[in-house]
Amino acid sequence: MSDLDHMIAYSVAALASGDQNRIQSLVRDLAEDWPAQSALTVSFALTSAAAELEGPSIEDQDAANSAYRLAALVAADVMAIEAMGQSNAKTTHLLQFWQRVDPYFIKTAGPQFIPSL
């Protein structure tokens, strides 16, 4: 299994668990556990996980929607990093960005961590 496959499987498991603590730390965990990966790989893994989670039940759809939202937020952060002059951003750059500019994925939050539509 490739790193990307592991990232997708990790994402599916966290999102499908419904455990807000696991979901809250998912994006940060992906960045920390795979520091050499392209930052956009995190967004791609979340998008792939969302596609796997889509299903007929409300729970499946909620998990998929959460993954799509998280993927979009990560992609926006990558765009911001690249606008600041960092080309080929890695997940370590995401962690630095979150520490210095936007702590959304680092801060501790309650059940409202994942933005709703």
Side-chain angles (χ1 to χ4, degrees):
M1 253 172 96
S2 70
D3 282 349
L4 177 58
D5 291 332
H6 286 286
M7 293 171 80
I8 294 167
Y10 186 88
S11 298
V12 168
L15 291 158
S17 75
D19 180 340
Q20 287 300 309
N21 290 327
R22 283 182 73 185
I23 296 168
Q24 176 181 334
S25 65
L26 172 59
V27 172
R28 183 183 60 239
D29 291 346
L30 292 171
E32 289 175 343
D33 292 349
W34 287 278
Q37 288 295 318
S38 163
L40 282 177
T41 303
V42 174
S43 185
F44 186 83
L46 291 165
T47 302
S48 297
E52 285 188 30
L53 288 164
E54 287 182 327
S57 76
I58 296 294
E59 292 82 12
D60 292 341
Q61 206 53 51
D62 286 347
N65 289 340
S66 294
Y68 285 128
R69 284 190 292 273
L70 291 171
L73 292 170
V74 171
D77 286 348
V78 173
M79 288 295 297
I81 291 167
E82 291 181 355
M84 295 166 60
Q86 177 63 55
S87 60
N88 299 320
K90 302 290 185 195
T91 55
T92 55
H93 297 119
L94 280 173
L95 292 167
Q96 292 169 357
F97 178 79
W98 296 332
Q99 290 168 350
R100 294 180 184 156
V101 179
D102 184 0
Y104 183 77
F105 287 115
I106 291 179
K107 68 182 178 183
T108 303
Q112 299 302 316
F113 175 75
I114 298 175
S116 61
L117 294 173

